[in-house]
Amino acid sequence: MSDIIKLLPESIANQIAAGEVVQRPASVVKELMENSIDAGACEITLIVKDAGKSLIQIVDDGNGMSETDARMSFERHATSKIRKSEDLFLIKTMGFRGEALASISAVAQVEMKTKTVDEEIGTSIAIDGSQFKSQNNVSCQKGTSMFVRNLFFNVPARRNFLKSNPVELRHIMDEFHRLALAKPEIAFNFYQNDLEVFKLKPSKLSHRIVGLFGKNYREQLIPCKEETEEIAIKGYIGKANFVKKSRGEQFIFVNNRYIKSNYLNHAIVSAYEGLIPEGTFPFFVLFIDIEPKHIDVNVHPTKTEIKFDDERSVYSLIKTSVRKSLGTFNITPALDFGADTNFRLHTSIAPSSGLSSSERDYSQFKNTERELSNLKNWEQLYAGALDNETIEAETKREMAAKGTPLSLTFESAINNMDENIQHVEESNKQNIFQFHLSFIVTPVKSGLMLIDQQTAHERIFYERYLKILENNTGSSQQLLFPETLQLNPSDFSLVKELEKEIKGVGFAFEYFGENALVINGVPSLINVDSGKVVFEGVLEDYKRNFLEYKSSNLENLARSMATNSGIKRGKKLTTEEMKSLVDHLFGCKNPNYSPNGRLIYYILGLEKIEDIFKIKA
Ligand code: ADP
Ligand code: MG
């Protein structure tokens, strides 16, 4: 047989290697901004067009490069930052692998202009998909400008794999937030499609936080500071009553490098235990300084993980110092733990033995739920290196992948339900009552049906909004007194990206000055007074949803609208309202689970009831 092994052409090898470093526009933003920081820039400007898909431009006033260095910088493993392997352990710069420019220029059309302070004239270089195009002299300011155009122009598979603009923009925003927080002493500007999103002056950390997230953060920040011989912690945490429904605004930096660590996250969040409701997330920006010899950061270029040699003491120091800050600033616990915790349906009511197929399906799902709640213990969590939320999302994804219905269209359950519903006969319908202002209880043929009014509403609204969005039939009710809504810059740009869809559900609004909107009309389905709250809630949720569920814009928006506009637990319902809720629920395509995968109703089987009273024993 003839020889069949061949070396890959360099351009293909480069593309493959680039896959490690460049996954999406946000990866380019991160690498190039880090280079600017490493080059000692005082001001860095980021400009993106089309969520970075057509252009990412970064301009800095850093040290620049000589003509030769400019050419060298695009070679793989070319770096000015480490010279020998021992240097790896003393890394002070953000980058050190010498891979970013080589990788980016393998999968995009790159142009660089750069000049050092000593040189009269600068250099401009153009490289397309690893192909050197030109190098010329140009007159330019000291510093470096990078233009990255048409990312993945030569790797269509990857280009097609990119997500919608709002999603890609969100990833860019995340990187921008992380770097701007890590370096408050540097000025950062951010333009998106000619819209100025941020203009951040050099400042203290607290001002930087306010500049990034909005003026209302000013009253919400608590300083946190602790120092031992080995490790120093400093930064800000949010007050206990300032929690969010998503974990987006939680930042940990180790030696000024943003990292993800479920373990350290858990240390911080557990300090809030008893102060914040379940399912909410406190704000924090914490910097941990520790001698480089106690950590290992030489990990994968895109992974932001880190190892400590003594994790337990780091954990307890963080937890103690966060607790102390919360204590010192005397936060009164926000005691409204709400219906969510106290009235949660007890999943311990095990289904009886003689299960119908649909009920077996339930118990299967419930087991997962039970396993999840068992996993709350942090040690177990850490063993799996996943936190509860991740596990939940992960489990859902797995179930979806395995073909286990996620949004749970249990055919058999529905069929069975028809039967049950038929038996919510007219006479029985009078036997409907509300329990704990949260659950609707009504007898059905096979037992007693308990319905969670909140998740039921979410399901009904979700399906309605989805229909409205798909058919473009959103109608709007005019507000007598239009409401102004001040947003933070990143939410404002999110609204711009989602404008069509948001208007599609029935919001009418206009832009009004810097990062502000005036809401003139709200969707007909919601209460006129809650327009503003729903609008804000929808943005908040949208950000969370699209990270957790890989669903379309429309589904996400429908899900957010549903969770924000439906009635909640704790609201009193009249008999009429309850009946109508039941009717609408079972008119849904999928009455079993809410759009977030929560159980909507449960049937306490007759057999089970008989069991309790030992009638057949
Ligand atoms: P790394 O940052 O890991 O060294 P890169 O591929 O990102 O690798 O960059 C290669 C080299 O190019 C850097 O080591 C640095 O010397 C130079 N360089 C890159 N970007 C800039 C910049 N904005 N200003 C000055 N020098 C830069
Ligand atoms: Mg770099």
Side-chain angles (χ1 to χ4, degrees), residues 31-41 58 60 62-65 69-70 72-82 93-104 112 114 143-146:
E31 292 296 336
L32 296 186
M33 286 183 48
E34 286 186 351
N35 280 348
S36 299
I37 293 172
D38 287 344
I58 289 179
D60 72 47
N63 298 329
M65 284 170 262
D69 281 355
M72 268 299 277
S73 67
F74 287 96
E75 297 296 327
R76 197 161 292 279
H77 306 301
T79 179
S80 56
K81 298 169 196 174
I82 53 174
T93 51
M94 302 224 130
F96 53 84
R97 300 169 158 267
E99 281 184 311
L101 294 188
S103 298
I104 295 167
M112 174 166 86
T114 187
T144 305
S145 301
M146 299 285 302

Short mmCIF file of all heavy atoms in Angstrom, two decimals, residues 31-41 58 60 62-65 69-70 72-82 93-104 112 114 143-146, ligand 1:
data_model
loop_
_atom_site.label_atom_id
_atom_site.label_comp_id
_atom_site.label_asym_id
_atom_site.label_seq_id
_atom_site.Cartn_x
_atom_site.Cartn_y
_atom_site.Cartn_z
N GLU A 31 -8.97 38.94 23.52
CA GLU A 31 -7.54 38.83 23.23
C GLU A 31 -6.94 40.18 22.88
O GLU A 31 -5.86 40.53 23.36
CB GLU A 31 -7.30 37.84 22.09
CG GLU A 31 -7.62 36.40 22.42
CD GLU A 31 -6.74 35.81 23.52
OE1 GLU A 31 -5.60 36.32 23.71
OE2 GLU A 31 -7.17 34.86 24.19
N LEU A 32 -7.64 40.95 22.05
CA LEU A 32 -7.05 42.21 21.60
C LEU A 32 -7.04 43.25 22.72
O LEU A 32 -6.08 44.02 22.87
CB LEU A 32 -7.79 42.75 20.37
CG LEU A 32 -7.68 41.88 19.12
CD1 LEU A 32 -8.32 42.58 17.93
CD2 LEU A 32 -6.24 41.51 18.80
N MET A 33 -8.10 43.26 23.53
CA MET A 33 -8.10 44.22 24.64
C MET A 33 -7.03 43.85 25.65
O MET A 33 -6.38 44.72 26.23
CB MET A 33 -9.48 44.30 25.28
CG MET A 33 -10.46 45.06 24.38
SD MET A 33 -12.10 45.32 25.04
CE MET A 33 -11.84 45.92 26.64
N GLU A 34 -6.83 42.57 25.86
CA GLU A 34 -5.76 42.15 26.78
C GLU A 34 -4.40 42.58 26.26
O GLU A 34 -3.54 43.02 27.01
CB GLU A 34 -5.79 40.63 26.98
CG GLU A 34 -6.93 40.18 27.86
CD GLU A 34 -6.90 38.69 28.21
OE1 GLU A 34 -6.07 37.95 27.63
OE2 GLU A 34 -7.71 38.28 29.05
N ASN A 35 -4.21 42.47 24.95
CA ASN A 35 -2.94 42.92 24.38
C ASN A 35 -2.74 44.41 24.63
O ASN A 35 -1.63 44.85 24.93
CB ASN A 35 -2.90 42.65 22.88
CG ASN A 35 -2.55 41.19 22.57
OD1 ASN A 35 -2.12 40.45 23.45
ND2 ASN A 35 -2.73 40.80 21.33
N SER A 36 -3.82 45.19 24.47
CA SER A 36 -3.70 46.63 24.70
C SER A 36 -3.36 46.93 26.15
O SER A 36 -2.56 47.81 26.45
CB SER A 36 -5.01 47.33 24.33
OG SER A 36 -5.30 47.13 22.96
N ILE A 37 -3.99 46.18 27.05
CA ILE A 37 -3.68 46.37 28.47
C ILE A 37 -2.21 46.02 28.73
O ILE A 37 -1.48 46.77 29.37
CB ILE A 37 -4.61 45.48 29.35
CG1 ILE A 37 -6.06 45.98 29.24
CG2 ILE A 37 -4.15 45.47 30.80
CD1 ILE A 37 -7.08 45.06 29.89
N ASP A 38 -1.78 44.89 28.19
CA ASP A 38 -0.39 44.47 28.37
C ASP A 38 0.58 45.51 27.80
O ASP A 38 1.72 45.62 28.25
CB ASP A 38 -0.13 43.11 27.70
CG ASP A 38 -0.77 41.96 28.47
OD1 ASP A 38 -1.15 42.17 29.64
OD2 ASP A 38 -0.91 40.86 27.89
N ALA A 39 0.13 46.21 26.77
CA ALA A 39 1.02 47.20 26.14
C ALA A 39 1.01 48.52 26.90
O ALA A 39 1.54 49.52 26.42
CB ALA A 39 0.60 47.42 24.68
N GLY A 40 0.39 48.54 28.07
CA GLY A 40 0.44 49.72 28.92
C GLY A 40 -0.47 50.85 28.46
O GLY A 40 -0.20 52.02 28.76
N ALA A 41 -1.54 50.53 27.75
CA ALA A 41 -2.42 51.59 27.26
C ALA A 41 -3.11 52.32 28.41
O ALA A 41 -3.40 51.74 29.44
CB ALA A 41 -3.48 50.99 26.34
N ILE A 58 -9.98 47.76 17.58
CA ILE A 58 -9.50 48.15 18.90
C ILE A 58 -8.35 49.13 18.75
O ILE A 58 -7.40 48.87 18.01
CB ILE A 58 -9.09 46.90 19.69
CG1 ILE A 58 -10.39 46.18 20.04
CG2 ILE A 58 -8.31 47.26 20.96
CD1 ILE A 58 -10.30 44.95 20.77
N ASP A 60 -5.57 51.48 20.75
CA ASP A 60 -4.97 51.79 22.05
C ASP A 60 -3.84 52.79 21.91
O ASP A 60 -3.36 53.05 20.80
CB ASP A 60 -4.50 50.51 22.75
CG ASP A 60 -3.27 49.87 22.12
OD1 ASP A 60 -2.28 50.58 21.84
OD2 ASP A 60 -3.27 48.63 21.94
N GLY A 62 -1.03 52.41 23.67
CA GLY A 62 0.05 51.70 24.38
C GLY A 62 1.40 51.85 23.69
O GLY A 62 1.59 52.75 22.86
N ASN A 63 2.33 50.92 24.02
CA ASN A 63 3.72 51.05 23.56
C ASN A 63 3.92 50.89 22.06
O ASN A 63 4.93 51.30 21.53
CB ASN A 63 4.59 50.01 24.25
CG ASN A 63 4.60 50.25 25.74
OD1 ASN A 63 4.48 51.40 26.19
ND2 ASN A 63 4.70 49.18 26.52
N GLY A 64 2.98 50.26 21.38
CA GLY A 64 3.15 50.05 19.95
C GLY A 64 4.25 49.05 19.66
O GLY A 64 4.86 48.48 20.58
N MET A 65 4.52 48.82 18.39
CA MET A 65 5.55 47.85 18.01
C MET A 65 6.44 48.42 16.93
O MET A 65 6.00 49.23 16.12
CB MET A 65 4.90 46.58 17.45
CG MET A 65 4.29 45.67 18.49
SD MET A 65 3.30 44.38 17.71
CE MET A 65 1.68 45.05 17.85
N ASP A 69 8.84 43.84 14.92
CA ASP A 69 7.94 43.20 15.88
C ASP A 69 6.53 43.09 15.32
O ASP A 69 5.83 42.11 15.55
CB ASP A 69 7.89 43.99 17.20
CG ASP A 69 9.10 43.70 18.07
OD1 ASP A 69 9.90 42.81 17.68
OD2 ASP A 69 9.25 44.35 19.12
N ALA A 70 6.14 44.11 14.58
CA ALA A 70 4.79 44.10 14.02
C ALA A 70 4.62 42.86 13.14
O ALA A 70 3.60 42.17 13.20
CB ALA A 70 4.54 45.36 13.21
N MET A 72 6.50 40.10 13.29
CA MET A 72 6.69 38.92 14.14
C MET A 72 5.44 38.56 14.94
O MET A 72 5.16 37.40 15.22
CB MET A 72 7.81 39.19 15.16
CG MET A 72 9.18 38.77 14.73
SD MET A 72 9.27 37.02 14.43
CE MET A 72 9.51 36.44 16.13
N SER A 73 4.71 39.60 15.35
CA SER A 73 3.61 39.38 16.30
C SER A 73 2.56 38.41 15.77
O SER A 73 1.84 37.80 16.53
CB SER A 73 2.96 40.71 16.68
OG SER A 73 2.30 41.26 15.56
N PHE A 74 2.51 38.26 14.43
CA PHE A 74 1.50 37.36 13.86
C PHE A 74 1.97 35.91 13.77
O PHE A 74 1.23 35.03 13.35
CB PHE A 74 1.09 37.85 12.47
CG PHE A 74 0.22 39.08 12.53
CD1 PHE A 74 0.77 40.35 12.39
CD2 PHE A 74 -1.14 38.97 12.76
CE1 PHE A 74 -0.01 41.47 12.46
CE2 PHE A 74 -1.94 40.10 12.83
CZ PHE A 74 -1.38 41.36 12.68
N GLU A 75 3.24 35.66 14.13
CA GLU A 75 3.73 34.29 14.10
C GLU A 75 3.24 33.54 15.33
O GLU A 75 3.12 34.12 16.40
CB GLU A 75 5.27 34.26 14.08
CG GLU A 75 5.88 34.91 12.86
CD GLU A 75 5.52 34.16 11.57
OE1 GLU A 75 5.38 32.93 11.62
OE2 GLU A 75 5.35 34.84 10.52
N ARG A 76 2.96 32.25 15.16
CA ARG A 76 2.51 31.47 16.31
C ARG A 76 3.65 31.34 17.32
O ARG A 76 4.81 31.23 16.97
CB ARG A 76 2.07 30.09 15.84
CG ARG A 76 1.23 29.34 16.83
CD ARG A 76 0.45 28.23 16.17
NE ARG A 76 -0.60 28.74 15.28
CZ ARG A 76 -1.81 29.17 15.68
NH1 ARG A 76 -2.12 29.15 16.95
NH2 ARG A 76 -2.69 29.61 14.81
N HIS A 77 3.29 31.41 18.58
CA HIS A 77 4.23 31.35 19.70
C HIS A 77 5.25 32.49 19.66
O HIS A 77 6.37 32.34 20.12
CB HIS A 77 4.94 30.00 19.78
CG HIS A 77 3.97 28.87 19.82
ND1 HIS A 77 3.01 28.76 20.80
CD2 HIS A 77 3.76 27.82 18.97
CE1 HIS A 77 2.26 27.69 20.56
NE2 HIS A 77 2.68 27.11 19.45
N ALA A 78 4.85 33.59 19.07
CA ALA A 78 5.71 34.78 19.13
C ALA A 78 5.17 35.67 20.24
O ALA A 78 4.02 36.07 20.22
CB ALA A 78 5.65 35.53 17.80
N THR A 79 5.99 35.89 21.25
CA THR A 79 5.54 36.72 22.36
C THR A 79 6.71 37.50 22.94
O THR A 79 7.84 37.05 22.89
CB THR A 79 4.89 35.85 23.47
OG1 THR A 79 4.49 36.69 24.54
CG2 THR A 79 5.84 34.78 23.99
N SER A 80 6.39 38.68 23.45
CA SER A 80 7.42 39.45 24.13
C SER A 80 7.28 39.25 25.64
O SER A 80 7.97 39.87 26.41
CB SER A 80 7.23 40.93 23.79
OG SER A 80 5.90 41.32 24.13
N LYS A 81 6.34 38.37 26.05
CA LYS A 81 5.97 38.37 27.45
C LYS A 81 6.63 37.30 28.31
O LYS A 81 6.78 37.49 29.51
CB LYS A 81 4.44 38.31 27.57
CG LYS A 81 3.84 39.56 26.92
CD LYS A 81 2.36 39.51 26.75
CE LYS A 81 1.93 40.59 25.76
NZ LYS A 81 0.52 40.50 25.42
N ILE A 82 6.99 36.17 27.74
CA ILE A 82 7.84 35.24 28.51
C ILE A 82 9.00 34.78 27.64
O ILE A 82 8.89 34.70 26.42
CB ILE A 82 7.08 34.00 29.06
CG1 ILE A 82 6.31 33.26 27.97
CG2 ILE A 82 6.16 34.36 30.20
CD1 ILE A 82 5.68 31.96 28.46
N THR A 93 1.43 39.58 33.01
CA THR A 93 0.63 40.09 31.89
C THR A 93 -0.61 39.23 31.69
O THR A 93 -0.71 38.14 32.23
CB THR A 93 1.46 40.06 30.59
OG1 THR A 93 2.01 38.75 30.46
CG2 THR A 93 2.57 41.08 30.62
N MET A 94 -1.52 39.72 30.88
CA MET A 94 -2.76 38.98 30.65
C MET A 94 -2.54 37.85 29.65
O MET A 94 -3.03 36.76 29.82
CB MET A 94 -3.83 39.92 30.13
CG MET A 94 -4.10 41.07 31.08
SD MET A 94 -5.81 41.32 31.20
CE MET A 94 -6.28 41.38 32.81
N GLY A 95 -1.82 38.13 28.60
CA GLY A 95 -1.53 37.09 27.61
C GLY A 95 -0.11 36.60 27.83
O GLY A 95 0.67 37.23 28.51
N PHE A 96 0.22 35.45 27.29
CA PHE A 96 1.60 34.99 27.39
C PHE A 96 1.89 33.87 26.42
O PHE A 96 3.00 33.38 26.33
CB PHE A 96 1.95 34.56 28.81
CG PHE A 96 1.01 33.53 29.39
CD1 PHE A 96 1.19 32.19 29.12
CD2 PHE A 96 -0.04 33.94 30.19
CE1 PHE A 96 0.31 31.25 29.66
CE2 PHE A 96 -0.92 33.00 30.73
CZ PHE A 96 -0.75 31.66 30.47
N ARG A 97 0.89 33.42 25.66
CA ARG A 97 1.11 32.25 24.84
C ARG A 97 1.56 32.59 23.42
O ARG A 97 1.96 31.71 22.67
CB ARG A 97 -0.17 31.45 24.72
CG ARG A 97 -0.66 31.00 26.03
CD ARG A 97 -2.05 30.47 25.90
NE ARG A 97 -2.31 29.60 27.00
CZ ARG A 97 -2.11 28.29 26.97
NH1 ARG A 97 -1.69 27.71 25.87
NH2 ARG A 97 -2.32 27.57 28.03
N GLY A 98 1.43 33.84 23.05
CA GLY A 98 1.84 34.23 21.71
C GLY A 98 0.99 33.56 20.63
O GLY A 98 1.48 33.24 19.55
N GLU A 99 -0.28 33.33 20.93
CA GLU A 99 -1.11 32.62 19.95
C GLU A 99 -2.23 33.48 19.38
O GLU A 99 -2.78 33.15 18.34
CB GLU A 99 -1.77 31.41 20.61
CG GLU A 99 -0.83 30.25 20.75
CD GLU A 99 -1.56 29.04 21.32
OE1 GLU A 99 -2.25 29.19 22.34
OE2 GLU A 99 -1.42 27.97 20.73
N ALA A 100 -2.57 34.56 20.08
CA ALA A 100 -3.79 35.27 19.72
C ALA A 100 -3.73 35.85 18.31
O ALA A 100 -4.60 35.59 17.48
CB ALA A 100 -4.08 36.35 20.74
N LEU A 101 -2.71 36.64 18.03
CA LEU A 101 -2.69 37.30 16.73
C LEU A 101 -2.58 36.29 15.59
O LEU A 101 -3.24 36.42 14.56
CB LEU A 101 -1.56 38.33 16.66
CG LEU A 101 -1.71 39.53 17.61
CD1 LEU A 101 -0.63 40.58 17.31
CD2 LEU A 101 -3.09 40.15 17.50
N ALA A 102 -1.78 35.24 15.80
CA ALA A 102 -1.67 34.20 14.77
C ALA A 102 -3.03 33.56 14.53
O ALA A 102 -3.44 33.34 13.38
CB ALA A 102 -0.66 33.14 15.20
N SER A 103 -3.74 33.30 15.61
CA SER A 103 -5.04 32.62 15.47
C SER A 103 -6.08 33.52 14.83
O SER A 103 -6.81 33.10 13.94
CB SER A 103 -5.56 32.18 16.84
OG SER A 103 -4.66 31.27 17.41
N ILE A 104 -6.14 34.75 15.30
CA ILE A 104 -7.16 35.66 14.75
C ILE A 104 -6.92 35.88 13.26
O ILE A 104 -7.84 35.83 12.45
CB ILE A 104 -7.17 37.00 15.53
CG1 ILE A 104 -7.60 36.76 16.98
CG2 ILE A 104 -8.10 38.01 14.87
CD1 ILE A 104 -7.34 37.93 17.91
N MET A 112 -3.33 45.91 10.87
CA MET A 112 -2.81 46.49 12.09
C MET A 112 -2.01 47.74 11.75
O MET A 112 -1.27 47.75 10.77
CB MET A 112 -1.89 45.48 12.78
CG MET A 112 -1.19 46.02 13.99
SD MET A 112 -0.47 44.69 14.96
CE MET A 112 1.08 44.49 14.14
N THR A 114 0.58 50.41 13.78
CA THR A 114 1.23 50.53 15.07
C THR A 114 2.46 51.44 14.99
O THR A 114 3.09 51.55 13.94
CB THR A 114 1.61 49.12 15.61
OG1 THR A 114 2.10 49.24 16.93
CG2 THR A 114 2.65 48.43 14.74
N GLY A 143 0.96 53.89 19.52
CA GLY A 143 -0.03 52.91 19.95
C GLY A 143 -0.38 51.98 18.81
O GLY A 143 0.30 51.97 17.77
N THR A 144 -1.44 51.21 19.01
CA THR A 144 -1.78 50.18 18.04
C THR A 144 -3.28 50.21 17.75
O THR A 144 -4.08 50.36 18.65
CB THR A 144 -1.41 48.78 18.61
OG1 THR A 144 -0.03 48.79 18.97
CG2 THR A 144 -1.66 47.68 17.60
N SER A 145 -3.61 50.10 16.45
CA SER A 145 -5.02 49.93 16.06
C SER A 145 -5.14 48.61 15.33
O SER A 145 -4.37 48.33 14.42
CB SER A 145 -5.47 50.99 15.07
OG SER A 145 -5.31 52.24 15.62
N MET A 146 -6.10 47.82 15.73
CA MET A 146 -6.32 46.54 15.07
C MET A 146 -7.70 46.58 14.43
O MET A 146 -8.67 47.01 15.06
CB MET A 146 -6.32 45.40 16.09
CG MET A 146 -5.04 45.23 16.85
SD MET A 146 -3.71 44.48 15.90
CE MET A 146 -4.44 42.97 15.43
P1 ADP B 1 0.71 37.24 23.68
O1 ADP B 1 -0.17 38.34 24.10
O2 ADP B 1 0.37 35.93 24.33
O3 ADP B 1 2.16 37.54 23.81
P2 ADP B 1 -0.33 37.74 21.04
O4 ADP B 1 -0.42 36.90 19.83
O5 ADP B 1 -1.59 38.23 21.63
O6 ADP B 1 0.45 36.92 22.13
O7 ADP B 1 0.61 38.95 20.75
C1 ADP B 1 1.92 38.72 20.29
C2 ADP B 1 2.83 39.86 20.64
O8 ADP B 1 2.48 41.01 19.88
C3 ADP B 1 2.75 40.30 22.09
O9 ADP B 1 3.62 39.54 22.92
C4 ADP B 1 3.18 41.78 21.99
O10 ADP B 1 4.55 41.88 22.02
C5 ADP B 1 2.70 42.19 20.62
N1 ADP B 1 1.44 42.93 20.66
C6 ADP B 1 0.20 42.45 20.41
N2 ADP B 1 -0.74 43.40 20.53
C7 ADP B 1 -0.12 44.54 20.89
C8 ADP B 1 -0.53 45.88 21.18
N3 ADP B 1 -1.82 46.23 21.13
N4 ADP B 1 0.42 46.79 21.50
C9 ADP B 1 1.72 46.44 21.54
N5 ADP B 1 2.18 45.19 21.29
C10 ADP B 1 1.29 44.24 20.97
#
